[in-house]
Amino acid sequence: AQSVTQPDIHITVSEGASLELRCNYSYGATPYLFWYVQSPGQGLQLLLKYFSGDTLVQGIKGFEAEFKRSQSSFNLRKPSVHWSDAAEYFCAVGDGKSSGDKLTFGTGTRLAVRP
Amino acid sequence: GAGVSQSPRYKVAKRGQDVALRCDPISGHVSLFWYQQALGQGPEFLTYFQNEAQLDKSGLPSDRFFAERPEGSVSTLKIQRTQQEDSAVYLCASSLAGPGGKLFFGSGTQLSVL
């Protein structure tokens, strides 16, 4: 069965500092990987996704993530964090079957941004 | 509408009551998903529809949970005889079709069972 681990429950960074959120997955085949962001009272918004090809993927809001098969990781990065990035971030793996994306989510990392 | 709409936004139920949660997907979206998000956890898959067909209901936690999408658009998630452990945010998502399609999530219905 597929699974996702986000080892950091809470992270606090200063505005303007760089950010890296960790994600490790377990999946038998080549995974479909996603990062979502959830702000309070809002739905989940897709930041970026990886299916195949270039292992460094660019997303919205200046985020990027790198797929490393050897480490079973898909860490999210941003060079300079803005106060508006404070939110909860979820990594997810999809089975990519024709019946639809049954996503398995991690437990999330809550990001706080110091002014 | 512009996005996925869910109603009600909040629902408080007494243990044993039945509840119905509604999801209006983005017009034209073929795929519709329900997820359950407990406090402090990531969303967990409940069920999936392609048009009106429920293709996967493997995530429904018990036979008290029932979902339908009779005309391939609006979907309803029904929970019978609610229990305290059903308290969670129920998220609906839709996408155009097929694997890897971008999922658009609603803001969810927060269910509290007292």
Side-chain angles (χ1 to χ4, degrees), chain A residues 3-113:
Chain A
S3 66
V4 175
T5 302
Q6 294 181 248
D8 304 306
I9 299 174
H10 296 281
I11 284 186
T12 300
V13 300
S14 297
E15 191 168 17
S18 63
L19 171 71
E20 182 169 30
L21 302 182
R22 296 184 290 165
C23 172
N24 293 94
Y25 68 89
S26 173
Y27 188 67
T30 299
Y32 287 42
L33 294 163
F34 306 80
W35 274 99
Y36 282 86
V37 60
Q38 186 176 39
S39 299
Q42 303 295 313
L44 290 154
Q45 182 182 20
L46 179 66
L47 287 175
L48 47 79
K49 59 184 180 182
Y50 171 79
F51 289 165
S52 63
D54 193 349
T55 56
L56 184 64
V57 294
Q58 303 297 321
I60 63 171
K61 303 184 179 185
F63 286 93
E64 66 178 27
E66 186 172 11
F67 171 62
K68 293 185 177 180
R69 184 187 300 275
S70 62
Q71 298 177 18
S72 298
S73 70
F74 188 57
N75 295 349
L76 182 72
R77 301 193 294 249
K78 186 169 185 178
S80 178
V81 169
H82 188 262
W83 64 267
S84 60
D85 294 324
E88 186 136 28
Y89 291 80
F90 291 94
C91 181
V93 60
D95 59 14
K97 296 181 179 176
S98 59
S99 62
D101 279 314
K102 182 192 296 186
L103 298 182
T104 299
F105 286 85
T107 51
T109 297
R110 184 169 296 279
L111 174 66
V113 180

Side-chain angles (χ1 to χ4, degrees), chain B residues 13-52:
Chain B
K14 291 184 179 178
R15 191 171 54 184
Q17 280 185 329
D18 298 348
V19 299
L21 313 180
R22 177 187 170 104
C23 173
D24 279 275
I26 294 174
S27 178
H29 277 194
V30 169
S31 301
L32 186 145
F33 301 80
W34 284 98
Y35 285 83
Q36 180 190 57
Q37 186 175 18
L39 187 64
Q41 302 296 316
E44 293 192 357
F45 172 83
L46 293 178
T47 187
Y48 162 68
F49 290 86
Q50 188 172 79
N51 294 306
E52 69 278 4

